[in-house]
Amino acid sequence: MVRDPLGSRSVLLAGATGLVGRELLDGLLADNAVREVHTLSRRELPLRHPKLAQHKVDFAALPSLPPVDEAYLALGTTIKVAGSQAAFRAVDYDANLAVARAARAAGARRLGLVSAMGADAASSLFYNRVKGELETVLATLDYEGRVIARPSFLTGNRAALGQPERSGEGLALKVSTVLRPLIPANYRSIAASDVAAALLRTVPTAKGGQVLLSGAMQRNAG
């Protein structure tokens, strides 16, 4: 009997406890083409699944990873939660980069990143600059395919994940909802599930570098 190659993918996910990360995890576990999902986090999820292998790690000192075919980076925080710019950078830049390098060493050929609208290594805004610097350095790694998602304000149930509402996000989402028809697509709020779905559609067959803008990822563009 010849094994179906589509059912043999092994996937790595960093940031499964976050808004987009949890949506990615749900999608990967439901995908019959995925054989196993390895998650990296500082704390375990209260979830058990035959495909799921959870790994509690220190992102500053990652162990060798199991062989994987593709990797998703969904690690992120805010300066308010992190406590300082240095602590923010340690998560959004250092930890994501460490996972990307470790995943490539473990055989991953394709990579998906949850970045942000406005990411630019030359930006005068610290947040956007760090996001852009990460995108730039990831492009130097030897991946066959690399997909970067740049969402606008994310919608989703942060409370269900034990996360605080991010500063200014609530007001921005209310304004975005009222004025949605007048706001350019890339600036409208977007469901975390839409971002995850776009990455899950694109990463498995990606070739070269690709950027997914927020408007293009929205399944409900109205």
Side-chain angles (χ1 to χ4, degrees), residues 105-124:
R109 295 179 298 149
R110 295 182 173 85
L111 180 73
L113 169 69
V114 181
S115 185
M117 181 183 69
D120 183 350
S123 177
S124 60

Side-chain angles (χ1 to χ4, degrees), residues 104-201:
R104 186 67 192 92
R109 295 179 298 149
R110 295 182 173 85
L111 180 73
L113 169 69
V114 181
S115 185
M117 181 183 69
D120 183 350
S123 177
S124 60
L125 299 176
F126 177 77
Y127 179 89
N128 290 349
R129 185 167 66 252
V130 171
K131 295 290 188 181
E133 288 175 353
L134 177 62
E135 291 185 12
T136 298
V137 72
L138 291 181
T140 68
L141 303 184
D142 185 28
Y143 276 94
E144 181 179 326
R146 186 184 71 261
V147 181
I148 294 170
R150 292 181 183 165
S152 180
F153 285 106
L154 292 168
T155 63
N157 191 348
R158 293 194 186 278
L161 299 177
Q163 296 181 352
E165 183 177 279
R166 295 190 173 185
S167 179
E169 193 173 73
L171 177 59
L173 293 179
K174 289 177 182 178
V175 172
S176 178
T177 299
V178 173
L179 301 179
R180 188 175 182 84
L182 305 178
I183 299 174
N186 286 336
Y187 294 88
R188 296 172 184 169
S189 59
I190 180 171
S193 58
D194 284 0
V195 180
L199 284 169
L200 294 174
R201 285 194 306 268

